[in-house]
Amino acid sequence: MTAESTTAGEERGIPWAAMAGIIATVSVFALAQGLTYPLLSFILERQGTTPGLIGLSAAMTPLGFIVSAPLIPALARRVGAARLAVLCALLAALTLAAIGLVQDVRAWMPLRLLLGVFANPLYVISETWLIALTPAPRRGRILGLYSSVVSGGFAIGPLSLGLVGTAGWAPFLVGITAFVLCSLIVFAVARRLPDLPREGETASVGGIFSRAPLLLFAVFTAAAFEQTFVSLFAVYGAALGSGEARIAALITVFIAGNAVLQVVLGRIAERCGAARTMLACALAALFFCLLLPQAFAAWPVWPLLFVWGGVSFGIYTMALIQLGERFTGQALIAGNAAFALVWGIGGMTGSPATGLAMQLIGHQGLPAALGLLCAVLALLLMARRRRA
């Protein structure tokens, strides 16, 4: 058999319809989630809510990720992966409707916690499906495409507020419709999707911490980096005298790089290895942290932020690829659930820690804190390479 016929056979063996359904599902879900963060913050700000309380309210969703993560493997086995995904999407729609009905920050705390609880299983199940369906030689580019689409969905969510506004029911209906559409897509492709494995190697969510601590620290780094940048870059830019329009545009460029470059990084991982590509991403992110103070006021800041966004989130994409390389069976869904738990922890702790650094040493605490995080990851990755 020739190399060309082997490649063609591999391509025919890839379940593209199921993969397209999975990616479409998560992209719609990401759009809905990306919409809720700024929408609820705008509403609370109009109500005169203090910034501290607004931040605490926003932290409830990643807390929901943390709370729900250990329960997902058992729930998926008992209920069925597709049924659990459909149920969670519908419950998320109902939760967002309840948030729209009850415009009170105290009531929103438990409701936003529930939103995280219901959102998390969909991400865990979708990533497990995708890793299970993807042939190893194509894993880098397909998981890179997945990461790009999810990032794009999060970016489109806030942009949709520019079309429908932030007042009344219109923005809530966009989110509710997206959640319902998500459930319909899963239902439509359910017969093409594999159930989550019940056999093979087993592991608990807690067991993944002892088996893959460096992968989990990479996920923590990516989550803390993304949440911190989005939350505090406006403060950094304002301290340097930049206008709101320029700061918003720079954040958009960062998110665009995040979304666009994952397929490229996935392709590089197929050629060079995901572990080596993760190290390159960590070192590049560290370099851009050091370069930011010198480049911020000049034109190079635009391409810098584009690539910075790509390599910082590329750390998570590389971790996801390595998860698929290292784990199979029930351990795979436990690993994805552990990723979700650590992502929630990184999202909750990164911004407050960096905010404290900025209070202590000034606005340069932002690149300093992010650079320190990337440096620690890079050192750990190099130490592992030396041991290997």
Side-chain angles (χ1 to χ4, degrees):
M1 183 180 290
T2 65
E4 289 81 0
S5 62
T6 300
T7 302
E10 287 177 355
E11 293 292 337
R12 284 194 297 270
I14 298 175
W16 293 113
M19 288 185 177
I22 295 167
I23 293 174
T25 297
V26 181
S27 66
V28 173
F29 208 79
L31 184 154
Q33 274 212 291
L35 174 144
T36 60
Y37 283 103
L39 170 63
L40 301 184
S41 294
F42 282 131
I43 293 172
L44 289 174
E45 189 176 25
R46 284 200 301 267
Q47 293 176 352
T49 308
T50 64
L53 197 53
I54 293 174
L56 181 61
S57 175
M60 292 298 103
T61 299
L63 180 60
F65 276 52
I66 296 170
V67 169
S68 63
L71 307 175
I72 295 171
L75 282 173
R77 288 194 298 270
R78 178 168 297 183
V79 178
R83 282 192 293 270
L84 181 60
V86 170
L87 179 62
C88 285
L90 293 175
L91 289 172
L94 290 174
T95 304
L96 187 56
I99 290 173
L101 284 170
V102 186
Q103 303 262 327
D104 185 292
V105 66
R106 291 167 297 183
W108 280 7
M109 296 285 191
L111 288 172
R112 295 185 80 168
L113 175 70
L114 286 175
L115 200 59
V117 168
F118 297 140
N120 196 25
L122 193 85
Y123 288 113
V124 171
I125 291 168
S126 295
E127 289 178 357
T128 305
W129 274 332
L130 204 59
I131 292 172
L133 288 171
T134 304
R138 300 288 183 266
R139 188 171 285 140
R141 72 193 75 176
I142 291 175
L143 290 179
L145 174 64
Y146 166 84
S147 295
S148 290
V149 170
V150 171
S151 299
F154 273 110
I156 292 170
L159 291 177
S160 67
L161 294 177
L163 300 175
V164 300
T166 60
W169 269 100
F172 286 97
L173 289 176
V174 172
I176 292 166
T177 302
F179 284 137
V180 173
L181 180 60
C182 173
S183 69
L184 293 176
I185 295 172
V186 175
F187 183 78
V189 300
R191 284 183 293 182
R192 299 177 179 269
L193 299 173
D195 209 346
L196 298 183
R198 298 174 181 270
E199 66 286 329
E201 59 173 322
T202 60
S204 65
V205 172
I208 299 296
F209 280 79
S210 61
R211 296 175 62 179
L214 189 50
L215 280 187
L216 294 176
F217 183 73
V219 173
F220 174 88
T221 300
F225 198 109
E226 181 182 76
Q227 295 294 318
T228 298
F229 182 91
V230 173
S231 301
L232 296 175
F233 188 74
V235 179
Y236 178 84
L240 291 172
S242 191
E244 290 185 1
R246 183 173 185 266
I247 294 170
L250 288 170
I251 294 173
T252 301
V253 168
F254 179 90
I255 295 173
N258 184 325
V260 171
L261 294 181
Q262 300 313 306
V263 176
V264 176
L265 291 172
R267 182 64 172 161
I268 292 172
E270 290 178 2
R271 292 179 175 273
C272 303
R276 186 177 297 175
T277 308
M278 179 188 285
L279 176 58
C281 286
L283 290 173
L286 171 60
F287 174 71
F288 291 137
C289 289
L290 298 174
L291 194 60
L292 180 65
Q294 287 73 41
F296 182 82
W299 69 263
V301 73
W302 298 95
L304 181 153
L305 282 173
F306 183 83
V307 179
W308 202 20
V311 296
S312 61
F313 193 73
I315 293 170
Y316 178 79
T317 303
M318 296 307 113
L320 200 59
I321 294 170
Q322 290 180 75
L323 182 71
E325 292 171 349
R326 292 182 55 180
F327 295 102
T328 59
Q330 297 176 53
L332 182 58
I333 186 172
N336 272 301
F339 272 28
L341 189 153
V342 173
W343 184 273
I345 294 172
M348 284 189 66
T349 60
S351 296
T354 304
L356 179 61
M358 294 174 77
Q359 281 186 241
L360 293 174
I361 65 173
H363 60 277
Q364 298 300 351
L366 175 69
L370 295 178
L372 177 62
L373 197 59
C374 294
V376 172
L377 176 61
L379 288 172
L380 292 174
L381 289 170
M382 287 188 286
R384 183 182 68 177
R385 285 177 63 83
R386 282 197 296 269
R387 288 197 301 270

